[in-house]
Amino acid sequence: MGRNKKESTQMDEKTPSGMAMESRIKPEPLETAGKGISVYSDMQIGFLCTTPFHYYLFDPVKKLLSNSNYVLVESNPRQYRSAREFFRDRHVFDAVENPQVIKDFDVLVCPFLMPLVYKENQEKIFVRMVYGLSKATWNYGWWNMLFDEFLVYGNYDAKILSFYGPTVKIGNPKFDDWFNGNVEPYPVEPNKKTILYLPTYDDLSTLSWVLPVLSKMAENFNVILKTHHGTNASELKKVFSRVEILGGDVDILPLLASADVVVSDYSGAIFDAILAEKPLVLADIPGAETFPSTTPSSLEHVVRNYALHTSDQALLRDYIVQALEEDPYLEKRKEVAQEWFAVRDGTSGQRAAQAIVNAQKDQREEKRFVQKALLTSTEFNKDLYKKKAERFLGKYFSWL
């Protein structure tokens, strides 16, 4: 495809809508990362994003690849408005404004299935780049069958996702700067220890009972809350003024560099803290293992065998203080992390870039048969219609 390029819509701050300008996809100058490595491909590669979170996921890989661009795709109006603003100066193509821009790409790299994009572009190579190890029921669900290749963290997710197609163990590219010593700590008051709270959202979030505890502790500690990208941080700021509350558009690595202890619940950020080898305390929700998005064998539950955890407010405070002195499970987590993360040497981005360039369409007859069946399933079409509605609302009602 990369030979005949069509007209594309790209974000530009000078347009009346604040978004679109007519342009052609042009190969970007090769950029080099920490080790001066770049990967060239004559294919056009699109990194599909719905939130700023995906920028931090993909950037360590994209900057190594020629002919690659960010593409902003379907999301609800609030997320679309936030992402549009975040990506304004980051060379992104807006497929909500103009879905045809995706036709210019040969390979589409996604954090998860975007059903509307897939339905309209089935002939392209779809690569899934894993971004977390939690919520197994969703993370390893049926929709993975529609991908051609998987870029995974390590042995654990490789074993599961290999059921759906070829996997490449790359580690977590987001941490390349961490392992290469290129992360500047987030500024905090130096004479206080720092508590970093990284909750998930929706029914598995512990914000309602953990944040009041941390707000009281803010008298003696630096307390930072980085919200999940699905959470509206502005509303929390009105109530918990003593806690520094940051949104999903903030890079997690500087926060981890400043943290003396991490508090989480069932978030994938648990495993960021483990990779960073930080003291860890987990907040529980009784019965959470029965919730629809998870399962008792999912790692956010298994990891509780290797961490202080509680659903009691008083005990949570005590555990945080204890972990600040000495985390009794830290060394054990370092051991199990070897199974979860195959690469921890700052080369994950390079490995991912090379895997994307080498990716091929999975043409196995059995898989194509199952894919066709899935495209007519009630579950797929339910998601499809939802995304059609979100695209419409994002395009015409993003001001809401």
Side-chain angles (χ1 to χ4, degrees), residues 170-181:
I170 62 167
N172 187 343
K174 186 171 65 177
F175 272 78
D176 279 358
D177 279 346
W178 181 276
F179 291 118
N180 288 322

Side-chain angles (χ1 to χ4, degrees), residues 193-342:
K193 291 194 172 183
T194 299
I195 303 168
L196 175 61
Y197 179 34
L198 303 171
T200 188
Y201 79 122
D202 207 16
D203 56 352
L204 286 170
S205 176
T206 55
L207 269 169
S208 62
W209 74 268
V210 171
L211 201 48
V213 175
L214 297 183
S215 181
K216 292 179 181 178
M217 296 184 73
E219 296 178 8
N220 301 306
F221 300 93
N222 300 311
V223 178
I224 302 172
L225 160 62
K226 182 186 185 302
T227 59
H228 185 279
H229 50 274
T231 301
N232 189 343
S234 60
E235 293 300 314
L236 294 172
K237 292 178 182 179
K238 298 175 183 178
V239 181
F240 298 98
S241 58
R242 289 191 292 186
V243 175
E244 183 165 5
I245 300 176
L246 305 174
D249 58 346
V250 176
D251 186 2
I252 195 174
L253 295 186
L255 303 179
L256 287 170
S258 294
D260 294 294
V261 63
V262 172
V263 179
S264 190
D265 41 37
Y266 301 91
S267 169
I270 293 171
F271 304 97
D272 290 339
I274 290 173
L275 194 53
E277 299 185 349
K278 291 291 177 175
L280 179 65
V281 178
L282 300 178
D284 294 340
I285 298 176
E289 65 277 3
T290 65
F291 288 14
S293 61
T294 187
T295 177
S297 61
S298 191
L299 281 191
E300 70 270 23
H301 301 293
V302 174
V303 75
R304 281 164 161 74
N305 294 316
Y306 313 111
L308 296 165
H309 65 99
T310 182
S311 59
D312 180 81
Q313 286 185 315
L315 197 53
L316 177 69
R317 186 193 182 286
D318 292 343
Y319 278 168
I320 292 171
V321 172
Q322 179 184 348
L324 283 167
E325 294 298 324
E326 183 179 8
D327 184 337
Y329 293 98
L330 183 59
E331 294 305 315
K332 186 62 177 178
R333 287 197 301 273
K334 291 179 183 179
E335 292 178 24
V336 296
Q338 296 178 33
E339 179 74 7
W340 298 338
F341 300 100

Side-chain angles (χ1 to χ4, degrees), residues 40-86:
Y40 177 77
S41 171
D42 61 354
M43 297 190 299
Q44 298 289 348
I45 300 166
F47 288 86
L48 305 192
C49 305
T50 65
T51 73
F53 172 81
H54 297 140
Y55 169 81
Y56 297 112
L57 170 70
F58 291 139
D59 187 58
V61 182
K62 180 197 171 295
K63 66 184 180 183
L64 299 178
L65 283 163
S66 64
N67 300 351
S68 64
N69 287 274
Y70 296 114
V71 184
L72 187 58
V73 295
E74 60 216 31
S75 59
N76 65 59
R78 182 181 67 80
Q79 284 188 333
Y80 172 54
R81 183 173 64 249
S82 170
R84 186 173 64 170
E85 182 63 29
F86 177 85

